Amino acid sequence: MNLLPAILFGGPPHAGKSVLFYSLARALREHAIPHNAIRACPDGEGNWFHELDQDKVRLIRVKGEWTSDFVKRMCLDIERRHLPLLVDIGGRPTEGQMCLFRNCTHSLLLLRTDQEDTADYWSHLVKANGLLPLAELYSAQSGVSTIDSVGPIIKGTLVGLERGSKVQGALFDALVERMALLFTSYSPEELEKTKLDMAPTELVINLDMYLQAWAPQTKRWEREMIPRLMAELPKNTPLAVYGPGPNWIYGALAAFDDQQPFYQFDPRLGWVTPLPLQIITNTPQEMKV
């Protein structure tokens, strides 16, 4: 049994779960709370989904399908977690997806004020699968966010969970504080040291350390940081990379010295060897804008 907490985000479609999920993951990241956020549904979303212009999102987003292989892989990823997790499962779970519930430890429900009948359904799923309720919230399009209770289960109403908006207020702060307390039952130092000690190479590139030194205020990787990062890496040395970062940072590091082994830490799987990266030097005409 994996004792690291995993919070399942549940509730009906269009309640604003993805907005709250992204906002909480970002707030935990800003507070330096070790965790990982898994979108355990094939809706094609990610952090980029909330950070790009929505017209661009509509052009590049590709929704997948719920397949048995996808569900099995997500359940294994949650079960074998190496960090505390936030888990978004979408709004229409089926019987075949119950392993997602069973491999989590806690629940956060975001219900709709205009769909009271769904509250009993989601409460039943939480209870039947043995999850500890962390929060039971309602989402409303207008009005004022309110707190009804802060313990042992946080209850209240969040207003205006629209894509591109910043979730804030006393209720949101209470959620962040409760999650931070839950996720730090193991100290960040203990969690990180365990992962780094298991690295397959002597040299480990901890992306968080570089970002905290270079951009402590923004905590966001920018493309102009790539040459600076590359300049600090030794040549002809296997690399192991640890910490959250955009795909293009990992791509640049994987391509840094393609003659040497390259490893990265996956919060779901541990240290892995990714597929070889192919560098395209000539852009095909059909890909040019």
Side-chain angles (χ1 to χ4, degrees), residues 215-227:
Q217 301 302 319
T218 63
K219 296 185 178 180
R220 179 186 178 95
W221 284 97
E222 302 293 347
R223 287 177 173 80
E224 55 267 24
M225 296 177 182
I226 292 180

Side-chain angles (χ1 to χ4, degrees), residues 125-164:
L125 290 180
V126 166
K127 184 176 181 179
N129 289 284
L131 300 181
L132 297 175
L134 179 78
E136 294 179 2
L137 312 175
Y138 278 90
S139 172
Q141 292 185 337
S142 60
V144 178
S145 295
T146 58
I147 299 179
D148 298 327
S149 172
V150 293
I153 303 172
I154 298 176
K155 296 184 178 182
T157 301
L158 287 168
V159 174
L161 295 176
E162 301 290 340
R163 292 191 185 112

